[in-house]
């Protein structure tokens, strides 16, 4: 009996010692974490000063997502013997020239996605990869500074698809107005004089027009996080049917030596594209009858920051 009591006391003592040791270690850890946070704040402040210096500022990050799968005699599927694959790539890059009296901001955004389903029991099915998401956007903004936050500016922005139907449709915005820079990582473009050139074989649906262009762009590197958010809108003076907007958000988190995970979400409203798509199945559709549903895409996968 004494041996059992002694053993119990020994176990209890060990637990108490471990508990005390853990509390002591946590007490030592707290000030260290506070010191790291303070040092990181100083590093971020220095980096902000570096970013504000004149000269070229360049950066890029991208995401690759993919998966493959195979089925053999999987009878719950209509294609019991098949293989499937999905590959997606996004790229976001910028090259900005910052000077005392002017700036020149350039950006490129690409999102490409391919899918494949090979039904081994159907000799006539499509075995090649087909394009799914297809987004290409490039812009160039020049501004002559009136103050630290305001500038007279000119913008050129082109967006289309590149895997299929290149420049059909394609959109080219050229305009002038003002640019507001409330902080280094955020710019807001306000151009009341903008012409939206639309290139397409379907002249009855797609039409160019004059309107207002508003763009808000935020790009930042916050520790291990790369973030980019871009809202591009065009409001036609001729008709709201010719207006459109696109909102793209990209996020990359670095885990090891530039490699991490990334996510991109894109949203769009474009009535001309909605009508063009609807006419393929219903030739009687018009701008007044078509449903201009919200367009969207997303990609999640491995990320690499340059």
């Amino acid at each position: 009996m004494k041996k059992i009591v002694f053993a119990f006391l020994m176990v209890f003592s060990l637990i108490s010692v471990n508990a005390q040791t853990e509390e002591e270690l946590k007490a030592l850890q707290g000030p260290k974490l506070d010191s790291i946070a303070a040092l990181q704040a100083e590093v971020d402040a220095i980096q902000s000063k570096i970013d504000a210096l004149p000269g070229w500022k360049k950066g890029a990050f991208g995401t690759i997502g993919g998966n493959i799968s195979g089925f053999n005699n999987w009878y719950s599927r209509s294609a019991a013997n098949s293989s499937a694959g999905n590959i997606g790539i996004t790229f976001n890059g910028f090259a900005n020239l910052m000077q005392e009296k002017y700036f020149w901001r350039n950006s490129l955004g690409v999102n490409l996605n391919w899918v494949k389903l090979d039904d081994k029991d159907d000799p006539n099915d499509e075995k090649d990869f087909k394009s799914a998401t297809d987004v290409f956007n490039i812009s160039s903004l020049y501004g002559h500074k009136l103050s630290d936050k305001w500038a007279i500016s000119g913008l050129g922005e082109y967006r289309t698809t590149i895997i299929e139907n290149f420049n059909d449709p394609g959109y080219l915005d050229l305009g002038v107005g003002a640019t507001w820079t409330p902080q280094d990582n955020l710019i807001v473009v306000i151009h009341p004089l903008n012409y939206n050139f639309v290139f397409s074989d379907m002249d009855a649906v797609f039409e160019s027009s004059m309107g207002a262009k508003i763009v808000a762009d935020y790009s930042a590197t916050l520790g291990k996080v790369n973030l980019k958010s871009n809202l591009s809108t065009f409001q036609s003076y001729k008709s709201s049917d010719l207006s459109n907007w696109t909102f793209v958000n990209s996020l990359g988190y670095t885990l090891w030596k530039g490699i991490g995970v990334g996510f991109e979400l894109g949203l769009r409203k474009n009535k001309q594209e909605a009508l063009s798509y609807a006419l393929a199945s219903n030739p009687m559709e018009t701008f007044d009858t078509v449903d201009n549903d919200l367009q969207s895409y997303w990609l999640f996968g491995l990320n690499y920051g340059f």
Side-chain angles (χ1 to χ4, degrees):
M1 184 65 181
K2 292 181 178 181
K3 292 182 179 181
I4 295 175
V5 173
F6 179 75
F8 176 78
L9 291 174
M10 287 293 293
V11 171
F12 182 78
S13 298
L14 289 173
I15 293 174
S16 299
V17 170
N18 287 336
Q20 292 174 355
T21 302
E22 182 178 355
E23 291 176 357
E24 291 173 355
L25 290 174
K26 287 183 176 180
L28 293 173
Q29 185 186 50
K32 304 294 184 183
L33 293 175
D34 293 339
S35 298
I36 293 174
L39 289 173
Q40 185 62 53
E42 293 179 11
V43 170
D44 293 341
I46 294 172
Q47 185 61 51
S48 297
K49 294 180 180 179
I50 294 174
D51 294 338
L53 292 175
W56 282 100
K57 311 297 178 184
K58 304 175 183 178
F61 69 96
T63 299
I64 299 176
N67 64 73
I68 56 175
S69 60
F71 300 89
N72 186 33
N73 299 327
W74 198 261
Y75 298 120
S76 62
R77 287 175 49 87
S78 58
N81 298 285
S82 61
S83 60
N86 182 294
I87 300 172
I89 301 171
T90 70
F91 177 83
N92 291 282
F94 67 90
N96 300 331
L97 176 61
M98 310 303 295
Q99 296 293 345
E100 182 180 356
K101 296 295 184 181
Y102 69 91
F103 60 79
W104 183 25
R105 296 176 178 267
N106 304 277
S107 66
L108 171 66
V110 180
N111 186 305
L112 306 176
N113 189 280
W114 297 266
V115 295
K116 170 185 176 181
L117 176 60
D118 179 15
D119 186 349
K120 299 177 182 178
D121 297 326
D122 183 1
N124 299 317
D125 76 329
E126 181 64 51
K127 295 179 172 58
D128 297 330
F129 278 91
K130 298 180 180 180
S131 65
T133 307
D134 190 356
V135 178
F136 177 87
N137 187 292
I138 186 170
S139 67
S140 183
L141 174 69
Y142 176 85
H144 180 78
K145 295 181 180 179
L146 301 175
S147 66
D148 290 339
K149 298 187 181 298
W150 287 96
I152 299 173
S153 58
L155 172 69
E157 181 185 71
Y158 176 71
R159 57 195 184 280
T160 185
T161 56
I162 57 177
I163 301 178
E164 59 180 63
N165 301 326
F166 175 72
N167 204 41
D168 185 21
Y171 304 89
L172 174 63
D173 280 292
L174 295 175
V176 294
T179 294
W180 177 45
T181 310
Q183 59 186 68
D184 293 337
N185 297 325
L186 175 63
I187 62 169
V188 179
V189 179
I190 307 167
H191 285 180
L193 296 177
N194 182 91
Y195 199 82
N196 179 235
F197 295 91
V198 185
F199 310 100
S200 175
D201 294 335
M202 298 183 65
D203 294 334
V205 175
F206 294 96
E207 182 180 351
S208 304
S209 65
M210 179 71 74
K213 184 75 174 181
I214 298 177
V215 177
D217 186 274
Y218 179 81
S219 301
T221 299
L222 309 172
K224 295 183 177 182
V225 177
N226 289 309
L227 177 64
K228 180 174 177 62
S229 183
N230 180 276
L231 173 64
S232 179
T233 70
F234 171 73
Q235 180 61 51
S236 174
Y237 294 147
K238 184 174 183 179
S239 171
S240 61
D241 293 335
L242 306 180
S243 302
N244 61 76
W245 60 265
T246 301
F247 188 32
V248 179
N249 299 276
S250 303
L251 175 68
Y253 183 80
T254 303
L255 298 173
W256 177 74
K257 292 187 176 180
I259 300 174
V261 293
F263 177 77
E264 180 164 295
L265 172 66
L267 304 172
R268 175 180 290 172
K269 276 270 192 175
N270 189 315
K271 202 167 188 179
Q272 294 179 92
E273 292 180 354
L275 179 58
S276 174
Y277 180 80
L279 285 173
S281 57
N282 182 5
M284 302 303 294
E285 285 281 12
T286 66
F287 277 121
D288 294 331
T289 62
V290 71
D291 292 327
N292 186 20
D293 295 328
L294 178 66
Q295 304 176 47
S296 67
Y297 72 82
W298 63 271
L299 174 69
F300 176 80
L302 292 177
N303 174 272
Y304 185 76
F306 301 91

